[in-house]
Amino acid sequence: KPCHLEPSALENVYGLPIKKKDDDNDAMWMAPYYSTIPLERLSDDEQSHRIKTVVISVHGSRGNADDYLCCTNSALPHEDQNPAKSSILLLSPWFAGPKDGPISLANTSATNASVLYWRYYAAPMPNWLPFSFRYGADSINGSVSSFTVLDTLLDVILALKLPHLKRIVLTGHSAGGQYTQRWALLSNHSLLTQYEDWVSSSRAATEAKPLPSLRVVVANPKSYCYLDPRRYQQDSQSFQIPSRWEFLMCPLYNEWTWGLDNTSHSLPTPYKTQALHDVGGIAGLVHRFKYRPVVYLSGHMDVLPNGQCMDHIQGPNRRERSRRYYSYLQNAIYTNETRGGKPVHHRVEVPMVHHDHCLLYQSPKGQLALFGNNLDPRGGGRGETGKEQATQHLRSHVRSRRFDQYEHR
């Protein structure tokens, strides 16, 4: 679909101020972002009274945040595609790399403000994986986690106290999908923890003004962070620890960011270390993850083989990895009893779409994943039970193997 945004929305880059708690100096770090409306204008702009939904889209490895803003805008209902009249605010953080050069910010001229950058290319151990923003690594300058950027952005949105804000949708595609899945697992942000509180107490019913709902839509990532060492084994058609031979061939398969191990001390991520400490270890992460409002969005034709052995051990392609990870949550990590007979998260597969964020978001099923009320864990439609969804995806997994030989050509 064509992009209806004004050129200024795609030309102006704004800076999100981030002040590190342990910084004693006056330095201010800025995380670049694109937006249909600058956040500063919403503090006193009459348009703030129209905003009911905020959508945050995270780019992939190309770093094309402006394109993500444009494609996401075209996925909105037609009446909401004009920012001057829309009830939806769009934001797209830009995790820039040194390749992007100096970035001029439209909302600051402060001489002590420095733009944050992340690594886009492979480096020697331990920081060897490119596109470091996707797993929460610290920036090259400033030592600010990419996950801290999102936490801060959400804090700023909540601090605006938009009077009619009801929901926030966070989505990322490809490397952005890896980013959003790991953030949803690790973050202690109140927009996520409200779901544990909502389940375990009557807090949601007693709060004078409950927080907006949150949905995290993880789209076409190359890999997922598994919660234990098991992976799908074709021979047994179940999730088991890989054989010693498989481990020798791929010793990093369960290291962060493909799992939660840290035995090789590669990919240092202080944000992850702190998150594990805050919840008392991996068991704490596993316990709360099932309550988090995550939707896995997958293109049915995203079947080209890609990645390293750590990715391949999760499945031969992105679509299959999505199916297996969803089945893993329903059948291996959580039981029917521990998930209360309900599905852990949701999954939507879009027919006739490959690895393309625009086609994915603008498809009817993509719009369901982003905005459908029946996927909200706090209410809406009943949806399928965990057993029904898990059975459906396992069946489709078996059926799809007949067609893979043709789709790979």
Side-chain angles (χ1 to χ4, degrees):
K1 297 179 182 179
C3 181
H4 296 290
L5 290 175
E6 293 292 330
S8 59
L10 304 176
E11 295 169 355
N12 291 332
V13 183
Y14 303 97
L16 176 71
I18 298 180
K19 184 76 166 67
K20 290 184 63 181
K21 294 179 181 179
D22 55 351
D23 266 358
D24 296 327
N25 55 40
D26 295 329
M28 181 67 71
W29 300 102
M30 289 286 185
Y33 72 92
Y34 290 86
S35 179
T36 50
I37 308 172
L39 291 174
E40 292 87 345
R41 277 178 47 193
L42 288 173
S43 59
D44 57 1
D45 193 292
E46 63 178 16
Q47 189 159 2
S48 65
H49 292 270
R50 287 201 295 267
I51 301 301
K52 298 178 181 179
T53 301
V54 173
V55 179
I56 303 170
S57 58
V58 181
H59 61 75
S61 58
R62 293 183 180 179
N64 50 340
D66 51 349
D67 182 54
Y68 272 70
L69 189 79
C70 200
C71 284
T72 308
N73 187 73
S74 297
L76 302 179
H78 183 74
E79 62 271 17
D80 281 310
Q81 292 184 21
N82 180 356
K85 300 178 180 179
S86 179
S87 64
I88 301 176
L89 168 65
L90 298 184
L91 299 158
S92 187
W94 182 14
F95 296 102
K99 66 179 181 61
D100 296 304
I103 297 174
S104 177
L105 302 176
N107 61 333
T108 181
S109 59
T111 57
N112 63 340
S114 299
V115 172
L116 295 169
Y117 293 90
W118 277 264
R119 284 184 299 100
Y120 266 61
Y121 301 104
M125 290 287 281
N127 302 300
W128 59 274
L129 195 66
F131 315 115
S132 62
F133 73 90
R134 57 180 160 163
Y135 61 86
D138 284 355
S139 55
I140 297 172
N141 55 340
S143 299
V144 174
S145 169
S146 58
F147 293 158
T148 299
V149 171
L150 181 54
D151 289 337
T152 304
L153 179 58
L154 293 172
D155 285 341
V156 170
I157 292 170
L158 293 181
L160 290 171
K161 299 187 183 300
L162 301 174
H164 303 295
L165 179 62
K166 298 298 182 184
R167 62 179 173 177
I168 297 174
V169 179
L170 166 67
T171 185
H173 179 266
S174 195
Q178 296 177 60
Y179 173 91
T180 51
Q181 193 259 333
R182 275 72 171 183
W183 176 84
L185 175 64
L186 295 181
S187 178
N188 286 322
H189 198 279
S190 59
L191 285 168
L192 286 169
T193 59
Q194 68 172 319
Y195 289 91
E196 294 117 73
D197 297 333
W198 179 75
V199 169
S200 61
S201 71
S202 59
R203 172 182 169 188
T206 58
E207 282 184 337
K209 187 176 183 350
L211 292 169
S213 68
L214 174 70
R215 178 175 302 173
V216 183
V217 181
V218 177
N220 283 344
K222 182 164 63 175
S223 68
Y224 299 83
C225 180
Y226 274 67
L227 307 179
D228 72 4
R230 290 176 291 177
R231 301 293 187 271
Y232 186 78
Q233 300 297 308
Q234 193 68 53
D235 293 342
S236 64
Q237 295 192 1
S238 63
F239 292 90
Q240 305 289 337
I241 295 177
S243 67
R244 178 169 176 78
W245 171 251
E246 289 176 301
F247 176 77
L248 291 174
M249 294 297 292
C250 193
L252 298 180
Y253 88 95
N254 200 50
E255 294 289 303
W256 177 253
T257 151
W258 303 271
L260 291 167
D261 287 351
N262 193 33
T263 55
S264 67
H265 302 290
S266 67
L267 305 182
T269 310
Y271 188 102
K272 172 222 172 196
T273 303
Q274 185 63 49
L276 284 168
H277 177 269
D278 290 343
V279 296
I282 292 176
L285 285 184
V286 173
H287 172 74
R288 73 180 188 181
F289 191 47
K290 65 174 178 274
Y291 297 120
R292 304 209 150 175
V294 181
V295 179
Y296 304 99
L297 181 60
S298 176
H300 178 73
M301 297 184 70
D302 198 350
V303 294
L304 291 178
N306 71 316
Q308 301 164 298
C309 70
M310 297 81 77
D311 309 303
H312 296 160
I313 206 168
Q314 296 187 13
N317 53 60
R318 288 183 174 92
R319 184 191 69 188
E320 190 64 23
R321 292 165 201 161
S322 173
R323 291 176 175 176
R324 290 184 184 184
Y325 189 74
Y326 187 77
S327 177
Y328 163 80
L329 292 177
Q330 315 308 315
N331 298 288
I333 281 295
Y334 305 108
T335 65
N336 190 59
E337 182 179 355
T338 59
R339 52 186 170 82
K342 299 178 181 179
V344 173
H345 309 160
H346 294 275
R347 183 176 182 274
V348 177
E349 189 167 303
V350 182
M352 303 302 294
V353 171
H354 49 89
H355 197 67
D356 187 295
H357 59 286
C358 290
L359 294 177
L360 200 66
Y361 291 151
Q362 295 170 14
S363 69
K365 283 198 170 185
Q367 292 171 330
L368 167 69
L370 292 170
F371 304 114
N373 290 330
N374 63 318
L375 302 184
D376 188 347
R378 298 197 304 194
R382 179 183 70 87
E384 299 174 349
T385 67
K387 181 178 180 180
E388 289 169 342
Q389 284 201 350
T391 301
Q392 174 187 347
H393 287 292
L394 281 174
R395 285 175 179 168
S396 64
H397 157 70
V398 174
R399 289 197 305 268
S400 69
R401 286 181 297 179
R402 301 199 302 266
F403 304 108
D404 280 351
Q405 58 180 315
Y406 304 105
E407 291 175 333
H408 282 312
R409 289 179 180 175

